[in-house]
Amino acid sequence: MALRCGARRHPISAVSGFRFASSNPERRTALYDFHVEQGGKMVDFAGWQLPAQYGSFSAMQSTTHTRQKASLFDVSHMLQWSLVGRDASECLEQMCVADVHGIGDNRGTLSVLTNEQGGIIDDFIINRVSSNELYIVSNAGNADKDIAHVKPIIEDFAKSGKDVAFSVKEGLSLLALQGPSSAAVLSEGTSYDISSVSFMNGFTANLFGLAECRVTRCGYTGEDGFEISVPSAHAVGLAERLLAANGGDTVKLAGLAARDTLRLEAGLCLHGSDIDDSTTPVEAGLAWCIAKPRRQTWSFIGGSIIRDQLKNKPSRRRVGFVSSGPVARAGSEILDTSGEKIGHITSGAPSPSLAKNVAMGYIATAHAKAGTPVQLKVRTRAIESATAKMPFVPAKYYTA
């Protein structure tokens, strides 16, 4: 079954590998019944039943609506956890590339957990709630793996006499309100001065008189937006208020298919597709998230390998591609102009914002310079393309 996208079809199964929900036991968010009532087409994603789209409103239409107005996504499947204690920052710095000590209160940053080979165990958002508390959001598909990785490190750290404790934040849902109208919509529900909050900054406030929520100005679409951590008992109520705000025609529900297209247009990685345990931040084009203070000592797991890659350059790099005709999706080979394989695509989809196809993938470093002609192998055809800079659609993150 597929999503209708103008004259082309955008297979749901091709978007990040999810499939329609079956009779197998799967986890449900607090908004599951709400999604079904609203016409959500439920699929399996990382063991959770989540909407791919709603009714006949296609992924292409939903992507465009998000870029023009605002959309609401249920991302409650994401793992929300915390580190508490006066040594929490020092502990987390052992595991990731961020300058955690340098994160101010109510500020956040994107970072990555690394393994001994410098590979990316997961990418995640770190938010500082206070001097002694860090609030972290990581990927649903990696939840068990992440916990299995961080808990022993934290426990050993605590046994050495350090003050740190780990906990999963239970009973919470996570909603992502994304698009240029997001701030106006959210402002209807709080007296907090939204205009004072820049990208990757956050605050705690009561929203629409329902509940105290943790709000972070961020998202994974390239647009201005907010991720809202809300008690699950109030998740449906908050979703209804957001959909009704600003006259009721500004915010629409959006699913996984649109979210995948939006993040691809924004040049953002999906763990398990574009980055994984065997991919380093240098190869993935994420070296920018290795904070300057951390480059003085490289005192995080896999630091020496990542340092050497930065110095000597990796053998492959993640780059973008723009093309027309058949879509080059994950697994498609990248060929040089003589037909030799030089890489592979990790994500690809039609872009409603560009009216072309966009993709990202890994290519031999010698061919990675933007504008280098290549061919993308789609079944038996070789589609003309060229390496391209990302993001494909300029980011519109808000600065106060």
Side-chain angles (χ1 to χ4, degrees):
M1 202 165 180
L3 300 176
R4 175 65 65 181
C5 301
R8 293 180 288 185
R9 296 182 72 81
H10 188 161
I12 290 181
S13 60
V15 183
S16 302
F18 55 74
R19 59 180 174 77
F20 276 96
S22 67
S23 58
N24 296 329
E26 292 159 332
R27 301 167 76 180
R28 298 179 175 182
T29 72
L31 290 107
Y32 176 85
D33 291 337
F34 177 74
H35 294 315
V36 174
E37 291 167 3
Q38 299 298 316
K41 296 183 178 180
M42 310 306 287
V43 300
D44 172 87
F45 182 77
W48 291 79
Q49 289 190 19
L50 294 167
Q53 71 174 82
Y54 292 85
S56 60
F57 200 62
S58 74
M60 300 283 270
Q61 291 172 310
S62 188
T63 298
T64 300
H65 183 84
T66 307
R67 298 249 182 258
Q68 294 177 344
K69 292 186 177 182
S71 294
L72 185 64
F73 301 83
D74 179 10
V75 292
S76 304
H77 58 299
M78 303 289 278
L79 178 65
Q80 300 182 67
W81 51 289
S82 65
L83 283 182
V84 178
R86 65 177 178 273
D87 299 312
S89 296
E90 181 183 353
C91 180
L92 189 57
E93 283 192 353
Q94 289 189 349
M95 299 180 273
C96 76
V97 303
D99 175 19
V100 184
H101 282 97
I103 302 173
D105 288 358
N106 289 316
R107 295 178 183 271
T109 188
L110 173 72
S111 191
V112 293
L113 286 171
T114 49
N115 59 28
E116 296 288 353
Q117 292 73 44
I120 300 171
I121 295 172
D122 204 359
D123 58 316
F124 61 165
I125 300 292
I126 307 167
N127 301 274
R128 182 174 296 285
V129 178
S130 67
S131 60
N132 291 338
E133 182 179 357
L134 300 169
Y135 162 62
I136 300 158
V137 179
S138 53
N139 286 300
N142 295 328
D144 292 340
K145 182 181 69 171
D146 287 354
I147 293 172
H149 175 73
V150 305
K151 277 193 74 175
I153 296 173
I154 296 166
E155 289 169 356
D156 287 346
F157 200 72
K159 287 176 183 176
S160 70
K162 299 290 187 176
D163 179 28
V164 63
F166 163 89
S167 65
V168 174
K169 301 182 81 66
E170 304 286 357
L172 294 176
S173 293
L174 193 64
L175 300 180
L177 179 65
Q178 299 286 296
S181 299
S182 297
V185 167
L186 197 63
S187 293
E188 287 193 18
T190 179
S191 59
Y192 198 94
D193 182 11
I194 301 293
S195 66
S196 69
V197 183
S198 291
F199 177 64
M200 293 306 291
N201 284 230
F203 61 94
T204 300
N206 190 293
L207 297 182
F208 294 94
L210 289 173
E212 199 79 355
C213 300
R214 177 75 193 174
V215 183
T216 305
R217 195 161 202 162
C218 68
Y220 222 59
T221 63
E223 297 291 331
D224 185 22
F226 304 84
E227 292 193 351
I228 307 165
S229 180
V230 55
S232 291
H234 299 286
V236 171
L238 178 59
E240 291 173 337
R241 299 296 199 288
L242 292 169
L243 290 169
N246 214 25
D249 61 353
T250 300
V251 182
K252 289 184 179 294
L253 291 168
L256 291 167
R259 183 172 167 83
D260 196 61
T261 302
L262 287 158
R263 68 93 191 165
L264 178 54
E265 289 185 336
L268 300 171
C269 299
L270 178 67
H271 198 280
S273 294
D274 311 300
I275 51 176
D276 59 28
D277 296 55
S278 66
T279 312
T280 70
V282 183
E283 294 171 326
L286 298 175
W288 59 266
C289 72
I290 307 172
K292 282 187 177 181
R294 308 308 309 281
R295 298 184 187 212
Q296 303 303 311
T297 62
W298 300 96
S299 56
F300 52 85
I301 299 171
S304 61
I305 291 176
I306 294 171
R307 176 198 61 206
D308 292 346
Q309 267 199 351
L310 271 175
K311 181 180 179 180
N312 302 317
K313 297 185 179 180
S315 61
R316 61 174 185 161
R317 291 189 182 276
R318 180 177 65 93
V319 298
F321 304 90
V322 178
S323 64
S324 300
V327 182
R329 300 191 186 274
S332 296
E333 293 183 356
I334 304 167
L335 312 175
D336 65 15
T337 53
S338 66
E340 291 295 316
K341 181 181 177 181
I342 54 174
H344 69 281
I345 297 297
T346 55
S347 291
S351 165
S353 303
L354 301 181
K356 295 180 180 179
N357 301 324
V358 295
M360 66 173 73
Y362 287 86
I363 192 171
T365 299
H367 302 270
K369 185 178 179 180
T372 302
V374 297
Q375 302 174 79
L376 307 179
K377 190 173 181 180
V378 181
R379 294 179 290 279
T380 59
R381 293 183 59 181
I383 307 300
E384 297 297 322
S385 182
T387 56
K389 292 183 179 180
M390 296 182 284
F392 301 107
V393 175
K396 302 179 182 68
Y397 303 131
Y398 176 81
T399 302

